[in-house]
Amino acid sequence: MTIQVLYFAWLRERIGLGRETIETEAATVVDLVAELRAREERYAAAFADMATIRAAVDQELVPLETPLSGAREVAFFPPMTGG
Amino acid sequence: MTIQVLYFAWLRERIGLGRETIETEAATVVDLVAELRAREERYAAAFADMATIRAAVDQELVPLETPLSGAREVAFFPPMTGG
Amino acid sequence: MSAVPIRVVVSDAPFDLGAEAAALEAGPETGAVVTFTGRVRDVAGGLRWMEIEHYPGMTERALEGIAREATDRWPLSGVTVIHRHGRLAPGDRIMMVATASRHREAAFEAAAFLMDYLKSRAPFWKKEVTEDGAEWVAAAEKDEAALGRWDS
Amino acid sequence: MSAVPIRVVVSDAPFDLGAEAAALEAGPETGAVVTFTGRVRDVAGGLRWMEIEHYPGMTERALEGIAREATDRWPLSGVTVIHRHGRLAPGDRIMMVATASRHREAAFEAAAFLMDYLKSRAPFWKKEVTEDGAEWVAAAEKDEAALGRWDS
């Protein structure tokens, strides 16, 4: 499947881009992370500590174990610091 | 001693005045109330239910048992309803 | 003694909520400002006006005492308490409190504390004037009870 | 579904706290309005500016969801949530929430709830730029912990 992957804050900075289109057969969000980490060193570095990573599937905050079936947009980012 | 006595809200309306100067030897706030009640029917009516009466001595909210020694101003009023 | 600026206004004039809040924001340490505004409701549709009586002299002392107590309990950088008296129409603002602090928890708690005390400890009395006559507003038992949570 | 008016604004522009609060006061049922305003602090004196990144699309959805949840939990007559993004100078306002209700308890609690959720559940990230460089603000554990009190 084809999904849009978005990165925010220091994840965006470490990976060096804010958005990319990815072809993947990953079943869950963590599976997608594993694929990304295997790609290139900058992805491995960005996703080194999963305790500091949050994810949204189709703009809804979700646990990392969430299935990707039907997802069109997956976003990764550090814990939010609004307000 | 000579004290200023003030009345507010429905106490003021029932007694028919907002302020008067009183000569009294009352030892406490309740003693002063007893003197006032004995004076005239309108005072007796105003102070009929002491559960609904609050008092301040020299602009400080106090219990009704508070001594009057040295007091210059005593005020009576219903429970406050500000805010 | 606390050196935190306290602003207390007792007046029959309207006040400017935005300007009051902005004034409290001054200074590099203030990260959070909480305001509460109370206003004349007209739920039944029959209110002609509200009359607010107060005890000049004691009112200012009581409000300053309440505000000072809040600055002793929480790390505030400023407190404003404004209460109107006299005749107010439905929709008019009656009063406001505002608190400024570095952090949101202190600003929220101090504002709620000020309101609870102001309801039952500041010498104001409200009278509602409707087409049927005038009636003094009765104190709510829950307002007196609300003070209990600040005892500790 | 709740028919309570909800106003959500995500923008790089400043906002007018007084006008926002006044707009929430409309209607005879509203007796209480609580506002919270957050602002760029410069405690150490070295902040040049703050940069706020957000996730367009999700941000609006998250804020509307949080506001809707508040109207489900408390008897509110209106909710406003405004959050800025982009470059903000020390002293600039970052965001505000405002709640309107008949009674003060609901307005206070709902505003505190909105703030707790907004801190940890709305997709905003702050970066502080000082003379020494730029640093992303770390999430505070107490902010995540603060959410626990709304579980029941």
Side-chain angles (χ1 to χ4, degrees), chain C:
Chain C
M1 294 300 286
S2 164
V4 177
I6 287 176
R7 171 169 156 80
V8 168
V9 179
V10 181
S11 162
D12 56 4
F15 54 84
D16 181 337
L17 171 62
E20 297 292 343
L24 264 191
E25 286 178 350
E29 293 278 341
T30 298
V33 172
V34 168
T35 72
F36 176 97
T37 319
R39 163 177 187 275
V40 181
R41 281 196 291 139
D42 181 18
V43 175
L47 185 72
R48 294 176 65 194
W49 71 80
M50 177 177 273
E51 192 82 33
I52 299 183
E53 184 169 332
H54 79 117
Y55 181 172
M58 179 173 166
T59 310
E60 291 79 358
R61 286 172 60 137
L63 296 182
E64 280 167 23
I66 291 165
R68 189 61 64 196
E69 171 94 17
T71 66
D72 288 344
R73 288 187 178 219
W74 289 277
L76 305 178
S77 56
V79 175
T80 297
V81 180
I82 299 177
H83 206 301
R84 298 175 66 188
H85 57 82
R87 182 180 294 196
L88 300 178
D92 281 356
R93 287 179 180 155
I94 301 171
M95 49 70 61
M96 70 170 282
V97 303
T99 53
S101 180
R102 288 183 57 166
H103 297 296
R104 72 186 187 284
E105 296 83 358
F108 268 121
E109 286 186 22
F113 167 88
L114 287 168
M115 283 308 304
D116 284 351
Y117 268 79
L118 204 145
K119 282 262 169 192
S120 305
R121 293 289 182 271
F124 291 101
W125 300 275
K126 289 186 186 128
K127 186 186 212 172
E128 289 176 344
V129 181
T130 66
E131 320 231 321
D132 300 329
E135 198 157 355
W136 291 98
V137 173
E141 281 188 29
K142 70 173 175 56
D143 284 337
E144 185 65 32
L147 285 179
R149 64 172 161 149
W150 306 109
D151 280 348
S152 59

